[in-house]
Amino acid sequence: MSSKNVISIKNLSKCYHIYQKPIDRILARWMPWKKRDFWALQNIDFSIGKGETVAIIGKNGSGKSTLLQLICGTLQATSGEVRVQGRIAALLELGAGFDLESTGRENVYINGMLLGMTQVEIRREFDKIEAFADIGDFIDQPVKTYSSGMFVRLAFAVIAHASPDILIIDEALAVGDIFFVQKCMRFIREFKKKGTILFVSHDTSAVTSLCDRAVWLDNGQMKMLGSAKEVSERYLAFQHAKDRSSETGEEILDKPNYNREAILSTTTNIRDCRQDMLNDSNLKNEIRLVELGSANNGYGTGKAKITHVNLLQDGQSVASIIGGENVSLEIVVDVSEQLESVIAGFYFKDRLGQRLFGDNTYLSYLHEPISVTPGELMVAIFKFRMPILPVGDYSIDVALASGDQDNHTQHHWIHDAATFKSLSSSVASGLVGIPMESIKFLKANDGV
Amino acid sequence: MFKNTIDLLSQTIKNWALLQHLTKRDISNRYKGSYGGIVWSFLNPILLLTVYTIVFSVIMKSRWGLPNEGRIDFAIVLFAGLICFNMYADTTNRATTVIRDNKNYVKKVVFPLSLLPLISLNSTFFTGIVSFIILTLTVAFTKGLHSPSVILLPLLWVPLYFMTLGMSYLISSIAVYIRDVAQVVSLFNMMFMFLSPIFFPLERMPEALQRVAALNPIAEVVTQTRNILIFDGSFSWTGYIQCLLISIVLLQMGISTFYLLKKGFADVI
């Protein structure tokens, strides 16, 4: 077992001492109260076998980078041990080993040698490295003139050709453009076949698609170790729950206090004719609810308060939905003052804040405007088919107003009440995809 | 204790190509962007020697006190001492920041940190040796080399190299933790310069200081360099071995300190 583990980590802890003043660093030897301990990592215990791809996930400050640095050997552990077998190539930070004054070419040699290549090897691989980086004549310019994209291109190109046994990638790839990231991903997938990869990312979709296992770090502790899919799902759910309770500062009931089932009636489903096929493929348009935003992020008179925003499917609040399927958006409002002709509405926006679609209750209740009395609980439910969304981030604004379409007072508007992530998509073009009821493409003279 | 020294040796051998490359880069970086390039390495000592001759020999009419001392003699003797001392002073001054200046190598990549002081030392020694060549040529043309012991000159660089390296390791690792070291080192180097017989012969020092200076490897190296290059060509093996031993002790101390403190570099920087 141990011979197959390329990285084994036993009881690893890292403690930083924090001092008020630099002089305390010396005094602390005799006056221990002068220092404060900060445990960046505590009792980490896991091992990585040859050929495995393992992700480390966790929010900022959870100890991910510290762990990687300990594995690479740039940091010394306070206690416990890290054992590594084989040549490590780490892309810890954007072009970290680069000397700004030297040219790209010189830096390729320096970085290559740092990664354990000989000068002969580098000379042999140089053309390939240059082609991979694809930065043209900039290769002979000092790297201080490079853009951040060029930096990471060159850094990654060297690593890709150093033939390491273990590849460690910290979030550095985020700055590359889409074509380069694709190129790197192809390389990583190829590398996976023979080498071991340790991958740090916030992007849970990349984690699930790339990694076998995942380690979840939270405040320096190992919270979970398991299959990549399981861990990233639990991680998202946890973050989501935490955001809800910590930001609004009050207990939020999972389900508002009314008979939801009675209000939601079933209607016939219109489905995309390819839905079943797509749902089984990797083009399944899974849209994940990332977080329910803070109720404070909005404005209004305060005469009514939106207390819940949920996405429902089959009467249940869900964390992910599938583009092309029926969903209900539920907005629950607590009314504190007498209001006439109330309207509830929402906007579905893309990453840039562009409003993709939206609707409100005005027209449906045009002839019988709703008036509410203080203390009443109002529920608005919009049932619609979720369009198929291109990969990206989305959010919903919700609002409660009184008046009419043109002239109204906002009582409560919440920006980004809920945010979503679309992980994969079959949308070929356009802002949204619409479920196609049927698609035919025939030779006309067949008589159909 | 010797484990560290062995580790240092094996690291150096393992990363020989890297060390070579980085040293070359360090030397060329000094003249990067200038039109003269490497020519400055040669031009500098020549100009310096000319200035010394004019200032000390012509204007101030300083005399070293040699029998039938020529015009250029004082400048040559002074220059010989300064080259040795500057090798030491420049390297130790750079050592105060060499680790901090390479933050990336400490924190972000796996880099054999023990190479850093070595690189700056090698690059200063390169300049020093070029100066020595200029000096030797000048002596040969003006006074003539009258002793075959000139070939022992490179031997004298060994204790100088060891001592400077040892002090570099000591200073560079402590300076990571205590920034004040930079101030202390430049002051200390100044005092050290007067404790080495750069501007005057050793014999002119007070008796007590002479005994202290005897323990100073630089003083020994400077005196012996002048002897074989300019004066009577005598070479004292006992003095040489004594100063070699002192320099080895200093080197060993430096390496041990560096290895002890190295572990915390990434935490402090």
Side-chain angles (χ1 to χ4, degrees):
Chain A
M1 166 94 185
S2 63
S3 63
K4 281 171 90 183
N5 285 337
V6 285
I7 301 177
S8 44
I9 294 171
K10 282 203 190 75
N11 227 347
L12 187 72
S13 299
K14 174 71 188 176
C15 177
Y16 286 105
H17 303 301
I18 299 173
Y19 305 93
Q20 293 281 308
K21 285 173 287 174
I23 189 75
D24 289 353
R25 189 177 292 282
I26 301 160
L27 294 180
R29 191 168 281 257
W30 303 281
M31 297 182 247
W33 63 88
K34 287 276 189 193
K35 70 177 180 197
R36 225 151 27 86
D37 287 354
F38 171 75
W39 289 91
L41 281 178
Q42 261 179 318
N43 304 324
I44 307 296
D45 231 329
F46 69 94
S47 47
I48 297 173
K50 195 169 161 54
E52 260 192 308
T53 303
V54 178
I56 301 177
I57 56 178
K59 60 183 170 63
N60 289 339
S62 56
K64 302 187 297 275
S65 299
T66 307
L67 181 57
L68 289 193
Q69 282 178 300
L70 285 167
I71 293 171
C72 294
T74 51
L75 276 183
Q76 297 276 329
T78 308
S79 67
E81 62 165 353
V82 181
R83 215 176 279 153
V84 179
Q85 280 167 0
R87 190 198 271 187
I88 292 187
L91 196 59
L92 283 187
E93 214 166 299
L94 249 177
F98 280 178
D99 177 70
L100 290 180
E101 296 294 328
S102 301
T103 65
R105 187 180 299 273
E106 287 170 322
N107 271 304
V108 168
Y109 275 89
I110 296 170
N111 258 20
M113 282 190 266
L114 281 177
L115 291 168
M117 292 169 87
T118 64
Q119 265 174 316
V120 181
E121 273 176 323
I122 301 172
R123 210 164 295 139
R124 205 177 49 216
E125 298 283 322
F126 194 87
D127 289 342
K128 279 193 252 168
I129 294 175
E130 198 179 344
F132 193 99
D134 194 20
I135 55 171
D137 293 338
F138 272 95
I139 192 86
D140 286 314
Q141 293 293 316
V143 296
K144 65 181 174 188
T145 63
Y146 283 24
S147 72
S148 53
M150 289 195 251
F151 246 98
V152 80
R153 275 163 176 265
L154 194 62
F156 196 88
V158 179
I159 281 173
H161 294 86
S163 55
D165 305 307
I166 304 164
L167 188 63
I168 295 185
I169 302 168
D170 205 348
E171 291 139 308
L173 283 184
V175 291
D177 61 28
I178 180 77
F179 303 107
F180 187 69
V181 171
Q182 289 301 327
K183 203 189 227 174
C184 296
M185 283 302 163
R186 275 200 301 279
F187 165 78
I188 290 170
R189 277 176 213 284
E190 192 59 35
F191 183 86
K192 252 181 80 137
K193 291 178 191 158
K194 49 189 189 346
T196 309
I197 303 180
L198 202 57
F199 186 75
V200 169
S201 185
H202 290 302
D203 184 359
T204 42
S205 63
V207 168
T208 22
S209 70
L210 204 62
C211 303
D212 311 314
R213 287 198 299 154
V215 178
W216 171 11
L217 292 181
D218 189 49
N219 284 329
Q221 313 260 359
M222 198 162 76
K223 192 136 183 150
M224 195 178 166
L225 170 70
S227 80
K229 191 170 182 307
E230 217 177 305
V231 174
S232 47
E233 273 170 8
R234 285 275 295 277
Y235 169 69
L236 275 182
F238 176 81
Q239 284 309 105
H240 167 192
K242 207 163 133 189
D243 288 344
R244 288 181 83 176
S245 58
S246 70
E247 286 189 14
T248 56
E250 55 193 73
E251 192 75 21
I252 283 195
L253 301 166
D254 263 349
K255 200 177 149 190
N257 190 17
Y258 74 97
N259 189 352
R260 186 187 271 163
E261 285 73 16
I263 295 174
L264 292 165
S265 59
T266 49
T267 52
T268 45
N269 267 358
I270 306 169
R271 291 168 61 88
D272 189 298
C273 55
R274 297 160 299 187
Q275 192 78 55
D276 292 327
M277 184 268 282
L278 288 176
N279 283 358
D280 288 337
S281 75
N282 59 359
L283 290 178
K284 175 172 122 176
N285 184 215
E286 194 180 356
I287 300 160
R288 252 188 218 163
L289 186 68
V290 179
E291 62 179 273
L292 283 166
S294 154
N296 304 328
N297 182 16
Y299 62 93
T301 61
K303 290 180 182 169
K305 190 172 167 235
I306 296 169
T307 56
H308 295 78
V309 179
N310 276 317
L311 268 183
L312 309 174
Q313 205 161 21
D314 302 326
Q316 297 292 318
S317 158
V318 286
S320 84
I321 34 171
I322 291 165
E325 299 213 325
N326 270 335
V327 290
S328 304
L329 174 70
E330 172 195 61
I331 305 172
V332 184
V333 187
D334 213 348
V335 180
S336 49
E337 276 180 47
Q338 176 80 30
L339 297 171
E340 302 297 331
S341 348
V342 290
I343 317 169
F346 74 93
Y347 274 118
F348 202 98
K349 305 182 302 180
D350 69 5
R351 183 175 59 88
L352 303 171
Q354 190 159 206
R355 291 166 175 178
L356 297 181
F357 61 92
D359 222 320
N360 61 48
T361 56
Y362 178 67
L363 284 178
S364 313
Y365 294 91
L366 187 60
H367 301 298
E368 31 179 336
I370 300 164
S371 52
V372 287
T373 51
E376 258 183 314
L377 193 70
M378 294 291 298
V379 184
I381 292 187
F382 299 90
K383 188 164 181 180
F384 57 97
R385 236 171 313 115
M386 181 58 89
I388 300 157
L389 300 171
V391 175
D393 295 310
Y394 297 89
S395 69
I396 291 187
D397 285 1
V398 294
L400 186 96
S402 62
D404 60 36
Q405 198 95 287
D406 300 316
N407 188 4
H408 51 251
T409 315
Q410 294 292 354
H411 295 297
H412 194 192
W413 177 300
I414 307 181
H415 295 294
D416 307 322
T419 53
F420 308 87
K421 227 179 180 42
S422 176
L423 301 181
S424 62
S425 180
S426 58
V427 173
S429 54
L431 291 176
V432 294
I434 293 174
M436 293 292 131
E437 247 176 276
S438 79
I439 292 179
K440 290 200 170 94
F441 187 39
L442 308 163
K443 290 186 175 160
N445 52 11
D446 285 354
V448 181
Chain B
M1 187 175 173
F2 294 105
K3 206 180 73 200
N4 296 333
T5 315
I6 291 163
D7 182 76
L8 177 68
L9 259 172
S10 75
Q11 284 281 0
T12 311
I13 293 164
K14 209 176 93 190
N15 296 295
W16 189 250
L18 185 67
L19 178 66
Q20 250 181 331
H21 190 98
L22 290 175
T23 305
K24 265 188 224 154
R25 199 190 60 170
D26 197 88
I27 294 167
S28 70
N29 269 1
R30 235 179 304 158
Y31 304 108
K32 191 155 247 180
S34 67
Y35 291 106
I38 198 82
V39 174
W40 282 112
S41 282
F42 295 87
L43 217 53
N44 239 333
I46 293 175
L47 291 176
L48 213 59
L49 192 54
T50 316
V51 172
Y52 285 161
T53 311
I54 295 169
V55 173
F56 290 103
S57 305
V58 180
I59 302 176
M60 294 172 70
K61 300 203 175 9
S62 311
R63 289 286 176 268
W64 197 263
L66 303 174
N68 50 42
E69 190 169 326
R71 277 207 137 178
I72 199 176
D73 284 1
F74 186 85
I76 288 176
V77 173
L78 178 68
F79 196 52
L82 268 181
I83 297 170
C84 295
F85 183 76
N86 279 343
M87 286 194 200
Y88 172 83
D90 289 351
T91 317
T92 45
N93 267 330
R94 273 191 72 186
T96 57
T97 55
V98 74
I99 306 284
R100 251 173 223 286
D101 288 347
N102 292 286
K103 230 178 225 175
N104 282 344
Y105 288 156
V106 179
K107 287 183 89 108
K108 291 170 189 158
V109 281
V110 186
F111 185 90
L113 291 175
S114 49
L115 293 193
L116 289 177
L118 206 53
I119 291 163
S120 62
L121 171 64
N122 285 351
S123 134
T124 340
F125 256 67
F126 169 79
T127 324
I129 287 168
V130 170
S131 300
F132 259 120
I133 293 169
I134 305 281
L135 177 72
T136 313
L137 289 176
T138 312
V139 174
F141 281 117
T142 56
K143 297 165 62 77
L145 298 165
H146 34 252
S147 164
S149 54
V150 169
I151 51 162
L152 292 176
L153 200 55
L155 216 56
L156 284 169
W157 299 335
V158 178
L160 189 59
Y161 190 92
F162 282 173
M163 173 189 175
T164 311
L165 186 59
M167 292 306 284
S168 288
Y169 276 131
L170 187 78
I171 291 165
S172 62
S173 56
I174 296 176
V176 171
Y177 295 85
I178 309 167
R179 278 176 188 248
D180 309 52
V181 168
Q183 310 304 320
V184 177
V185 166
S186 58
L187 258 176
F188 182 80
N189 279 352
M190 174 74 138
M191 296 185 331
F192 209 48
M193 182 155 82
F194 290 107
L195 201 60
S196 314
I198 310 287
F199 296 106
F200 40 80
L202 193 64
E203 298 78 47
R204 277 199 218 156
M205 282 189 187
E207 202 59 29
L209 271 183
Q210 271 196 42
R211 247 173 284 147
V212 180
L215 291 174
N216 170 8
I218 292 182
E220 180 69 23
V221 171
V222 167
T223 311
Q224 296 235 35
T225 302
R226 283 170 180 158
N227 279 347
I228 58 175
L229 199 61
I230 308 163
F231 304 156
D232 56 357
S234 65
F235 187 83
S236 148
W237 283 101
T238 44
Y240 176 73
I241 287 173
Q242 189 198 349
C243 109
L244 187 64
L245 286 178
I246 294 174
S247 70
I248 287 173
V249 171
L250 285 173
L251 177 60
Q252 189 58 51
M253 261 169 49
I255 294 174
S256 301
T257 316
F258 188 85
Y259 270 77
L260 184 74
L261 297 179
K262 181 171 95 149
K263 298 189 186 97
F265 283 176
D267 295 350
V268 183
I269 284 178

